[in-house]
Amino acid sequence: MKRFLPLLPLLQHAASRLMDLFPADTSRMQPRRRLLLGSAMLAAALALPTHPASAQPWTTEHWTGTWGTAPAGPPPAASLQTFTDQTVRLIVHTSIGGNRVRIRVSNEFGTTPLTIGAARIGLRASGSDVAAGTDRALTFGGRSFVTLPPGAPAVSDPVELNVPPLSDLAVSLYLPGTVPATTVHQLALQTNYVSLPGNFTAAPSFPVQRTIQIWPFLTEVDVDTSGPAIVALGDSITDGTRSTPDTNNRWPDWLARRLQIERDPVLGINARIGVVNRGISGNRLLSDSPNTLAGRSAQERFDRDVLATSGVRYLVVLIGINDIGNSSPTNPVTAEDLIAGYRQLIHRAHAKGISVIGATLTPFEGAGYYSPEKEVVRQAVNNWIRNNDEFDGVIDFDRVTRDPARPTRFLPAYDSGDHLHPNDLGYQAMGNAVPLSLFRSAAARAAAAPAK
């Protein structure tokens, strides 16, 4: 009998509805007739659906990040973008495909509520245009708009859309009123579009007023698939600084291509694994930068940018060079400080079942903040990353990018010119250096899972 107790409110509601339909005086009924009516009420109550027939049980869903970025802000007044009753059309590049899609938006660095008056998603045809037949309206809790309190994110309801891997999506957000872009990813390296005044989210061909190279408010796109996600947590070298805009030449982009295109020699399949880039130019492991657009420290943003990523199973950590380079002469950052910070990320990720892969810090002799003393710290950190057994795997980006004739410097063919960041060829070399064997167990599980 106890198992029926949770149904009691539902039974009482059904009984009330039936009594409204059949307002007979049951006090004059014979016992058998009352029993039959009670049985009918019970049967009717048990037949009532507990959720809409079209709803998919959330326990059967598996979401994976196919694209993501890390927000920061608010920007200084001189670089603050403002939108006035306008629509932004944001272009993002997928890593993994799926048949359903949803987005995540954020007002994390806003001080006032953010209203998104309408939102849509579709495959990009070219430029700002959406491919015919792919445009989908997005809702939030069933409503066509959403208001985000300061500091809050929001996730859209899923929509059916065949999203190919390695494709471009166009996400359109209508921003009524005057909206300062306080929550942004500053280094999009992607041309995005701002409309003339009005709601143009559903316009296949976009009336462009101006273009921007930032991603305001949008922080993640998920697809419904059985595959896991890799989060790349880092600074400008993960963010892709000095790579060619509109070409997706960051090292995580090259890794995503390999996971989709290359056939693993052991598995013999293409791995269904998403790659989400959470790099922020100027970011540090241990402390916040004075530049608000460089984001909070990796330790502070870890829960938001790693743990909250849909389907995260692997974390690649490439961060620390800005801690070393910006180290104070009077209170220098030591290798021991950075190692303690890495250990915190490892412990927090392991607590959630996430494997952590450490990446060695790339050369920086010749960069503006280089010194021989700081190079000693970098070498000590890299030796620990290579030789300790606390990381679940290691990617030796230093070995791949350094000049064999002078290992403290970038290989000239990979140097963007500032002696700190790779060029397109250097980012490609980094992406190609990631051993896919690090992710084989996840790929095998995804391959064995039934297709959705």
Side-chain angles (χ1 to χ4, degrees):
M1 183 64 185
K2 290 181 179 179
R3 65 178 180 169
F4 290 107
L5 289 178
L7 295 174
L8 186 57
L10 186 61
L11 297 175
Q12 291 172 335
H13 175 69
S16 175
R17 289 175 61 186
L18 286 171
M19 291 301 293
D20 289 340
L21 293 172
F22 306 104
D25 184 359
T26 58
S27 64
R28 296 183 181 180
M29 290 183 182
Q30 296 297 321
R32 180 174 176 81
R33 292 181 62 194
R34 288 199 299 270
L35 179 61
L36 289 173
L37 182 57
S39 298
M41 291 178 179
L42 177 61
L46 292 176
L48 290 173
T50 58
H51 54 76
S54 61
Q56 179 174 335
W58 65 268
T59 53
T60 66
E61 294 182 346
H62 187 286
W63 291 97
T64 301
T66 186
W67 173 88
T69 194
S79 61
L80 180 66
Q81 297 267 357
T82 300
F83 310 106
T84 304
D85 186 39
Q86 289 171 297
T87 303
V88 293
R89 181 159 288 175
L90 309 176
I91 309 303
V92 304
H93 192 66
T94 68
S95 57
I96 192 173
N99 294 318
R100 302 170 78 219
V101 64
R102 69 184 186 184
I103 69 170
R104 182 183 180 98
V105 289
S106 174
N107 189 27
E108 178 167 346
F109 296 99
T111 57
T112 59
L114 165 68
T115 295
I116 296 175
R120 301 181 79 92
I121 190 169
L123 301 182
R124 178 167 78 150
S126 62
S128 62
D129 291 350
V130 176
T134 69
D135 180 53
R136 304 287 187 272
L138 293 171
T139 57
F140 298 83
R143 307 171 85 182
S144 62
F145 67 93
V146 64
T147 298
L148 287 69
V155 178
S156 76
D157 304 323
V159 292
E160 302 287 333
L161 178 64
N162 183 13
V163 177
L166 308 178
S167 62
D168 285 348
L169 296 174
V171 178
S172 302
L173 307 176
Y174 170 55
L175 305 170
T178 299
V179 180
T182 51
T183 302
V184 300
H185 186 84
Q186 185 69 11
L187 190 72
L189 293 170
Q190 173 64 58
T191 301
N192 298 304
Y193 305 91
V194 182
S195 76
L196 297 169
N199 177 4
F200 294 100
T201 54
S205 187
F206 202 64
V208 178
Q209 184 190 77
R210 70 181 192 273
T211 61
I212 54 176
Q213 289 270 337
I214 64 173
W215 281 308
F217 310 122
L218 181 67
T219 60
E220 188 167 328
V221 178
D222 299 334
V223 290
D224 187 8
T225 182
S226 59
I230 302 165
V231 171
L233 183 69
D235 49 38
S236 56
I237 297 175
T238 296
D239 207 6
T241 295
R242 296 179 74 91
S243 66
T244 303
D246 297 320
T247 61
N248 300 303
N249 267 311
R250 312 163 193 87
W251 75 257
D253 296 323
W254 285 104
L255 173 60
R257 291 186 187 98
R258 292 179 60 213
L259 288 167
Q260 292 298 324
I261 295 171
E262 293 184 15
R263 295 181 67 83
D264 186 278
V266 173
L267 294 174
I269 60 164
N270 297 333
R272 291 188 290 172
I273 302 178
V275 179
V276 175
N277 189 332
R278 303 294 194 189
I280 306 179
S281 181
N283 199 236
R284 304 179 189 181
L285 172 64
L286 303 176
S287 63
D288 296 345
S289 168
N291 176 7
T292 57
L293 292 174
R296 306 286 171 79
S297 75
Q299 293 187 101
E300 182 176 347
R301 65 188 181 95
F302 183 83
D303 286 9
R304 179 201 71 197
D305 288 344
V306 179
L307 300 186
T309 301
S310 296
V312 58
R313 176 66 181 81
Y314 290 97
L315 168 65
V316 179
V317 176
L318 174 58
I319 197 164
I321 199 67
N322 289 319
D323 297 78
I324 297 171
N326 291 296
S327 181
S328 165
T330 58
N331 187 26
V333 170
T334 67
E336 290 72 22
D337 294 332
L338 290 167
I339 290 167
Y342 294 138
R343 283 175 169 150
Q344 282 298 310
L345 302 188
I346 292 168
H347 296 333
R348 290 163 69 184
H350 282 175
K352 298 298 183 180
I354 300 168
S355 297
V356 188
I357 299 162
T360 53
L361 303 178
T362 52
F364 76 125
E365 183 182 353
Y369 56 26
Y370 175 84
S371 74
E373 295 76 17
K374 294 173 183 178
E375 174 64 18
V376 171
V377 178
R378 185 184 75 93
Q379 294 287 354
V381 167
N382 282 350
N383 287 336
W384 180 82
I385 291 172
R386 290 186 183 103
N387 299 314
N388 90 93
D389 60 357
E390 295 178 52
F391 283 113
D392 301 296
V394 172
I395 305 169
D396 203 340
F397 284 145
D398 171 53
R399 181 186 61 80
V400 171
T401 58
R402 69 193 182 197
D403 184 351
R406 191 167 182 175
T408 54
R409 283 184 175 268
F410 258 103
L411 187 71
Y414 294 163
D415 192 341
S416 68
D418 67 359
H419 312 301
L420 177 65
H421 300 99
N423 56 21
D424 289 348
L425 191 60
Y427 283 121
Q428 182 178 359
M430 291 175 67
N432 288 341
V434 179
L436 297 189
S437 58
L438 293 170
F439 317 113
R440 275 183 186 148
S441 60
R445 287 192 298 272
K452 295 197 174 190

